[in-house]
Amino acid sequence: MAKLALITGASSGIGEATARKLAALGYDLVLTARRADRLERLAEELRTAHNVEVQTLIFDVRDEAACEEYLAQIPADRTIDVLVNNAGLAAGLEHIDVGSTEDWNAMIDTNIKGLLYVTRIVSRRMVAAQRGHIVNLGSIAGTQPYENGAVYCASKHAVHAISQSMRSDLVAHGIKVSEVRPGMVETEFSVVRFHGDEERAKGVYKGVTPLTGSDIAEVIGWIVSQPAHVNIDDVLITPQQQANAYLTVRK
Ligand code: NDP
Ligand code: 8X3
């Protein structure tokens, strides 16, 4: 039987590209997100192109009861080999004194609590199987906090800490944990951050050749393809023009 990978936030960007990559590697997939139409289109494309099984689960990772209800629909006789905790967002880019608490709650509830809810449920199955691999989408912002990004950076610092603790919690159960920490990747990320302002979002990548979702998916494909005895703990990946969170050379 094919291996099974569960990818959260597969309706766009890095999650969608990872679904394409893992399908090409022969994985059956469980894809989650809130936008059903996009997920169904992608699922149909991957079934046809790669002859893999694709289950779609439409729910909000911020809703703990929904996480329990929908993830329970993954057939109990299937081992979940890979979990890619990708669903996440930045909302707003402002100094702390004028930040929106609605934005802050969205980031904390999605990037931290949503990741925890999903991980708790899926890791129980991995512990029972005594195998599995969890790949968390952290960020360069998870170790390099920048002006205007207090809460997004804090949420990704949390993902960095959780990834390292989780590695210790799960090592004795034969489960791998990896964190992928990108710099600038052009996806819907900045459009979401700027609440739909596409012009402002384009400005983020002006004069830069940013990473693409596929660049990150290639890294994730490589991480999950390592031999059983190899764990890739932490990968920081940036565009050539981005030295760190504070220095990007634009042409
Ligand atoms: P996108 O906005 O393109 O994709 C985000 C995905 O997350 C979408 O599929 C979205 O689906 C899903 N999602 C968001 N909120 C929820 C929610 N509450 N419940 C379920 N699904 C949700 O952004 P990226 O692909 O760039 O981002 C993916 C991850 O990568 C995020 O964790 C982000 O922080 C991280 N990252 C991104 C970087 C970048 O520069 N782009 C750099 C470093 C890290 P839907 O809206 O349909 O629910
Ligand atoms: C997303 C990239 O530069 O906003 O994590 O930190 S950045």
Side-chain angles (χ1 to χ4, degrees):
M1 189 175 271
K3 287 188 173 181
L4 181 67
L6 164 58
I7 303 168
T8 67
S11 61
S12 74
I14 294 168
E16 177 181 341
T18 302
R20 290 181 198 286
K21 179 67 193 176
L22 297 191
L25 290 173
Y27 280 82
D28 289 337
L29 298 173
V30 179
L31 305 180
T32 88
R34 293 166 300 179
R35 287 172 291 181
D37 50 340
R38 290 204 185 199
L39 219 50
E40 294 303 344
R41 253 199 322 273
L42 176 65
E44 198 42 47
E45 178 199 316
L46 297 179
R47 287 182 196 112
T48 306
H50 301 290
N51 196 27
V52 293
E53 290 178 19
V54 186
Q55 181 179 12
T56 57
L57 299 174
I58 313 302
F59 67 94
D60 189 324
V61 295
R62 292 174 293 183
D63 181 341
E64 185 182 1
C67 290
E68 289 281 358
E69 179 190 340
Y70 284 91
L71 294 174
Q73 294 174 22
I74 302 169
D77 62 347
R78 291 295 307 260
T79 300
I80 302 171
D81 296 284
V82 172
L83 163 63
V84 183
N85 272 318
N86 167 76
L89 80 162
L93 190 70
E94 284 124 4
H95 279 186
I96 199 81
D97 53 318
V98 292
S100 143
T101 53
E102 196 181 327
D103 285 348
W104 295 353
N105 287 332
M107 291 186 277
I108 291 167
D109 290 349
T110 310
N111 300 356
I112 306 175
K113 293 168 71 180
L115 179 145
L116 287 170
Y117 297 151
V118 171
T119 300
R120 183 166 172 275
I121 296 162
V122 175
S123 64
R124 286 200 295 255
R125 288 175 66 148
M126 289 180 170
V127 166
Q130 291 290 290
R131 68 188 169 90
H133 193 162
I134 299 174
V135 182
N136 292 329
L137 262 294
S139 169
I140 195 170
T143 50
Q144 301 176 26
Y146 51 81
E147 185 182 7
N148 290 311
V151 177
Y152 180 71
C153 295
S155 76
K156 290 299 181 179
H157 272 66
V159 172
H160 192 50
I162 291 164
S163 299
Q164 292 176 38
S165 291
M166 204 189 267
R167 171 101 173 93
S168 300
D169 293 346
L170 299 175
V171 62
H173 297 288
I175 298 166
K176 299 186 187 184
V177 178
S178 306
E179 188 184 5
V180 177
R181 303 194 296 117
M184 242 180 236
V185 189
E186 190 165 12
T187 59
E188 293 178 13
F189 178 85
S190 292
V191 177
V192 171
R193 170 170 249 172
F194 300 131
H195 304 294
D197 183 340
E198 304 213 357
E199 279 314 303
R200 192 171 174 204
K202 269 195 210 119
V204 172
Y205 312 105
K206 201 162 178 225
V208 181
T209 304
L211 299 171
T212 64
S214 304
D215 293 326
I216 306 306
E218 282 300 315
V219 172
I220 294 171
W222 171 75
I223 285 173
V224 301
S225 300
Q226 295 303 304
H229 68 286
V230 177
N231 191 89
I232 306 297
D233 284 62
D234 183 8
V235 179
L236 179 65
I237 169 170
T238 58
Q240 188 281 328
Q241 291 167 263
Q242 184 182 25
N244 50 53
Y246 317 107
L247 176 62
T248 299
V249 177
R250 297 176 193 269
K251 296 197 172 130

